[in-house]
C-alpha cells in the first residue's frame, strides 16, 4: 500500500521540463507583479524545471527533488522566460542538496544552489527575500502567496509569464486528516492551499517560495498525484524555519 502510493506520488513530483511537460504551475492565480525580485527559474539544459528564490547575493533555495544529472543553471531578473539574456541573467551553479533527502515523502526536500558569480543586485530587478527565524511560529498568519511558472491546469504546460496566487496556511492536523489516513507524512512541512479553495500550485512550481508577510517560509514540494483540480487535498511545502541552521552554515562560510 505504502509502496504503491510512494511510486504514484514520485511519478507526479512537481517539477516540469518544457520539453516533456513533466513539471508543476499556479492554479487560479494571476500574472505576478514586477516586485517578485527574488524569484528564480531553476533550469536543466536551459529549460525551466523548477522555481527557486534568492536568499543572499549568491545563494538560491529550491527543492531537492529538482536536482538533475544534466547541466543546471539559474535565471534571475525576469518574470518572462522568453526574455532571458544568458550573459546577464543566467548563472551556473554548485548544488548542495540536503544530505538527508531521499524522496519527497521522506521530507528534507530542500537544496541550495550557489551561483558562480554574485547576483547583480544593482541595475537588474533582483533582491533576496528574507528567511524566517529558526523558531518562527506561523500561528496567526492567515494570508500567504506562492508564485511560479508551472502549469495553470492539471497536465498543462509551463507558462512564459510568472504567475502568483494567494493561499492560506492549513493546520497540520487538518492537513494530515485530508491526506490518506495512515500515510507516513514527512516531518518539517507546511500545508497551504489546494484544499478548501480553488487555488494552489501545480507541476513546474516546485522549489518556489511560500511567502507570508514578506518572508519565505516554505518551499513548494508536492501535491496529490499531480492533480491540480482544486479543492483537493492540501499542498505540501518544506518548512524552511526548520532548516535555518543548515542554511546558515553555508551563508556564514560564504561571508568569511
Ligand atoms: C539534457 O541534455 C542531455 C544531453 O543532450 C540529454 O541526454 C538529456 O536527456 C537532457 N535532459 C533533460 C532533462 O532535458
Ligand atoms: C492577494 O491578496 C491581496 C490582498 O487582498 C491582493 O491585493 C492581491 O491582489 C492578491 N494577489 C493575488 C495574486 O491574487
Amino acid at each position: 500500500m505504502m509502496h504503491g502510493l510512494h511510486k504514484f506520488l514520485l511519478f507526479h513530483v512537481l517539477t516540469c521540463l518544457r520539453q516533456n511537460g513533466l513539471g508543476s504551475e499556479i492554479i487560479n492565480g494571476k500574472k505576478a507583479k514586477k516586485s517578485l525580485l527574488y524569484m528564480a527559474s531553476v533550469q536543466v539544459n536551459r529549460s525551466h524545471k523548477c522555481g527557486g528564490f534568492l536568499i543572499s547575493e549568491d545563494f538560491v533555495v529550491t527543492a531537492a527533488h529538482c536536482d538533475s544529472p544534466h547541466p543546471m543553471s539559474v535565471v534571475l531578473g525576469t518574470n518572462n522566460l522568453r526574455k532571458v539574456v544568458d550573459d546577464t541573467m543566467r548563472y551556473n551553479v554548485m548544488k548542495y542538496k540536503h544530505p538527508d533527502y531521499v524522496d519527497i515523502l521522506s521530507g528534507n526536500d530542500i537544496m541550495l544552489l550557489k551561483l558562480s558569480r554574485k547576483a547583480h543586485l544593482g541595475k537588474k530587478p533582483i533582491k533576496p527575500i528574507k528567511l524566517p527565524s529558526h523558531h518562527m511560529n506561523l500561528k496567526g498568519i492567515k494570508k500567504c502567496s506562492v508564485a511560479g511558472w508551472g502549469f495553470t491546469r492539471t497536465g498543462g504546460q509551463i507558462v512564459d509569464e510568472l504567475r502568483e496566487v494567494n493561499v492560506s496556511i492549513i493546520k497540520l492536523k487538518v492537513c494530515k486528516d485530508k491526506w490518506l489516513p495512515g500515510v507516513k507524512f514527512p516531518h518539517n512541512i507546511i500545508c497551504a492551499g489546494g484544499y478548501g479553495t480553488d487555488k494552489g500550485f501545480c507541476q513546474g512550481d516546485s522549489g518556489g517560495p511560500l511567502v507570508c508577510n514578506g518572508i519565505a517560509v516554505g518551499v513548494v514540494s508536492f501535491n496529490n498525484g499531480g492533480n491540480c483540480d482544486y479543492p483537493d487535498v492540501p499542498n505540501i511545502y518544506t518548512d524552511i524555519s526548520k532548516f535555518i541552521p543548515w542554511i546558515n552554515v553555508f551563508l556564514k562560510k560564504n561571508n568569511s
Side-chain angles (χ1 to χ4, degrees):
M1 169 63 189
M2 186 53 207
H3 187 60
L5 176 72
H6 218 252
K7 272 167 98 171
F8 182 65
L9 283 168
L10 277 183
F11 184 73
H12 292 289
V13 147
L14 291 176
T15 57
C16 199
L17 284 166
R18 194 182 279 270
Q19 297 102 319
N20 58 16
L22 277 180
S24 175
E25 190 194 356
I26 296 296
I27 303 299
N28 288 319
K30 32 188 206 193
K31 244 193 194 178
K33 291 164 298 195
K34 295 257 185 296
S35 57
L36 301 187
L37 310 179
Y38 46 80
M39 273 305 293
S41 166
V42 175
Q43 307 206 337
V44 175
N45 289 350
R46 301 191 170 212
S47 283
H48 176 85
K49 176 168 187 176
C50 279
F53 47 100
L54 191 71
I55 58 161
S56 72
E57 59 187 2
D58 56 357
F59 274 98
V60 161
V61 172
T62 187
H65 78 256
C66 295
D67 191 20
S68 164
H70 301 296
M72 295 187 74
S73 58
V74 156
V75 167
L76 291 169
T78 180
N79 282 6
N80 189 336
L81 295 182
R82 287 200 180 276
K83 295 193 175 155
V84 176
V85 181
D86 280 348
D87 279 355
T88 52
M89 297 180 190
R90 187 178 299 279
Y91 298 77
N92 293 325
V93 292
M94 294 259 288
K95 303 182 287 187
Y96 301 96
K97 193 156 48 171
H98 195 281
D100 298 328
Y101 174 76
V102 179
D103 56 44
I104 52 169
L105 279 189
S106 316
N108 304 306
D109 190 8
I110 187 167
M111 176 163 69
L112 286 169
L113 300 174
K114 183 173 186 197
L115 307 179
S116 55
R117 62 181 196 279
K118 287 182 178 172
H120 199 275
L121 302 175
K123 262 197 293 183
K124 280 285 161 197
I126 300 176
K127 204 180 153 198
I129 187 166
K130 271 194 229 151
L131 293 178
S133 69
H134 186 29
H135 300 289
M136 179 166 173
N137 191 340
L138 291 173
K139 271 196 197 107
I141 294 183
K142 281 266 144 60
K143 205 180 251 169
C144 304
S145 66
V146 57
W149 287 274
F151 302 172
T152 43
R153 58 179 176 80
T154 302
Q157 282 185 324
I158 292 300
V159 294
D160 291 327
E161 290 264 13
L162 183 65
R163 297 185 71 82
E164 184 182 17
V165 74
N166 285 333
V167 291
S168 302
I169 305 264
I170 297 164
K171 283 194 178 113
L172 222 46
K173 164 125 184 34
V174 174
C175 180
K176 287 179 179 174
D177 285 350
K178 296 303 161 193
W179 279 78
L180 278 188
V183 168
K184 187 183 152 280
F185 240 57
H187 292 296
N188 302 332
I189 54 158
I190 294 171
C191 306
Y195 167 79
T197 172
D198 64 356
K199 298 172 168 46
F201 59 58
C202 197
Q203 274 50 42
D205 291 324
S206 285
L210 176 68
V211 178
C212 307
N213 297 343
I215 298 173
V217 302
V219 185
V220 174
S221 186
F222 64 93
N223 67 354
N224 185 22
N227 176 30
C228 309
D229 297 332
Y230 303 128
D232 185 47
V233 294
N235 290 166
I236 309 293
Y237 295 81
T238 304
D239 181 350
I240 296 177
S241 69
K242 303 298 193 298
F243 296 91
I244 291 301
W246 178 69
I247 292 172
N248 276 344
V249 170
F250 290 88
L251 297 188
K252 281 179 185 145
K253 215 186 260 170
N254 204 47
N255 289 341
S256 58

